[in-house]
Amino acid sequence: MSTALLVEIFNQLPERLVRGPGSSPQGIGGGAGGAVGGGGEERDGKPVRAYPGGKARWRAALDGFKKQVGKRYNLGTLQRLLGSHDPRARRAAVFALGQVGTMEVNASVAACLHDDDSEVSALAAEALWALWFHADTTAHNDALDRLVRLRDREKALAGIDRLIEQSPAFAEAYNQRAILMFRLKQFDRAVADCEKALQLNPLHYGALAGLGQCYLQMRKHRPALKAFRNALRINPHLGAVAEAVRALENALGDDKKSI
């Protein structure tokens, strides 16, 4: 199937839909994707955007994109295009995998976080969060989307508890419960949920960054440094996490560049 056609379909999307600034209110400690500080334009976390023309317009554009891609490309072909010499093809492919992919492509998309093209790496971060939030049944995915938007933390927690009972292998549900536990200052429980999320999805850099933030709050600085370094190994573009690593290295006298 033609690479040029995929690029053409991708380029038909509204630019703000693809390249709009991301922000994540869902990270542990207020950072995107569990990062320390940070967020907003860095795209570390699950993106929440506003698009011109309203939700109906961008939903229709995405639905059209997914239908066209689904008719013409399978996941194997899209993954192969991630290795294209043309960055335009890699951008289109990684965006497509975020829309139509499953956890089967998790590792392939995560590898794109190290792409030389900054737009490919940014799209890969957003694609991963899309995959992680929609890694279970449609009903469970919709439930998690709804629960993370609740302002009542106790209701959100009760809902996520029920969701985990129903779907104990849904990694993102544990990550989101960890975020709630952190905000409730129950750091031990947040650590346990971060670790469970990582057991189910070892590439979840958000859970690793969140784990590091929990350890910081518990004054366990060396485990925090290890968690932050591991997050950066997966996603080297977590600016706030990199700052935390430098601060901890200075404080601990540990300047090993093991990232």
Side-chain angles (χ1 to χ4, degrees):
M1 188 59 64
S2 170
T3 300
L5 178 59
L6 179 64
V7 172
E8 181 182 348
I9 296 170
F10 175 68
N11 287 340
Q12 289 172 358
L13 289 168
E15 184 174 357
R16 286 281 296 174
L17 179 61
V18 177
R19 301 175 180 84
S23 71
S24 176
Q26 300 166 3
I28 286 180
V36 182
E41 299 290 328
E42 196 168 71
R43 296 188 180 191
D44 296 348
K46 180 175 183 289
V48 178
R49 313 189 200 95
Y51 304 112
K55 290 183 178 180
R57 180 186 173 195
W58 62 261
R59 282 179 178 165
L62 278 181
D63 285 345
F65 175 83
K66 287 189 282 189
K67 286 179 182 177
Q68 290 188 72
V69 170
K71 287 179 181 178
R72 296 172 171 84
Y73 300 90
N74 58 40
L75 296 184
T77 299
L78 292 172
Q79 288 182 92
R80 286 193 292 275
L81 289 176
L82 296 178
S84 171
H85 293 299
D86 185 348
R88 297 172 301 172
R90 300 199 303 275
R91 293 169 198 163
V94 76
F95 182 85
L97 286 168
Q99 298 301 315
V100 303
T102 67
M103 286 298 285
E104 173 188 341
V105 305
N106 191 38
S108 297
V109 174
C112 293
L113 294 168
H114 295 264
D115 197 283
D116 292 337
D117 183 84
S118 62
E119 191 166 336
V120 172
S121 61
L123 289 168
E126 297 191 4
L128 285 171
W129 282 99
L131 293 173
W132 298 342
F133 262 78
H134 300 100
D136 208 274
T137 68
T138 300
H140 292 159
N141 300 339
D142 290 345
L144 186 60
D145 279 337
R146 176 180 56 81
L147 289 165
V148 299
R149 287 171 171 77
L150 289 180
R151 294 188 178 184
D152 188 320
R153 292 177 182 173
E154 296 298 335
K155 287 184 178 180
L157 179 57
I160 294 178
D161 283 345
R162 288 192 298 271
L163 179 57
I164 287 174
E165 288 178 2
Q166 296 165 4
S167 183
F170 194 179
E172 191 55 39
Y174 290 97
N175 184 54
Q176 293 302 315
R177 189 169 69 177
I179 291 167
L180 285 172
M181 290 293 99
F182 183 93
R183 291 173 177 169
L184 294 170
K185 300 187 184 303
Q186 297 187 34
F187 303 122
D188 286 335
R189 293 183 65 185
V191 164
D193 276 338
C194 285
E195 290 177 340
K196 183 63 177 180
L198 288 163
Q199 178 186 338
L200 294 165
N201 180 8
L203 294 173
H204 201 311
Y205 63 82
L208 277 166
L211 183 63
Q213 181 71 332
C214 289
Y215 282 137
L216 274 186
Q217 294 296 323
M218 299 164 76
R219 301 186 184 279
K220 296 182 177 182
H221 293 158
R222 289 198 177 276
L225 178 57
K226 180 180 179 181
F228 288 144
R229 282 173 167 169
N230 286 336
L232 285 174
R233 287 191 186 98
I234 298 170
N235 185 351
H237 304 290
L238 301 172
V241 175
E243 290 176 11
V245 166
R246 288 190 289 270
L248 285 168
E249 287 175 344
N250 290 335
L252 296 171
D254 182 351
D255 60 355
K256 292 186 300 182
K257 301 304 180 184
S258 57
I259 294 171

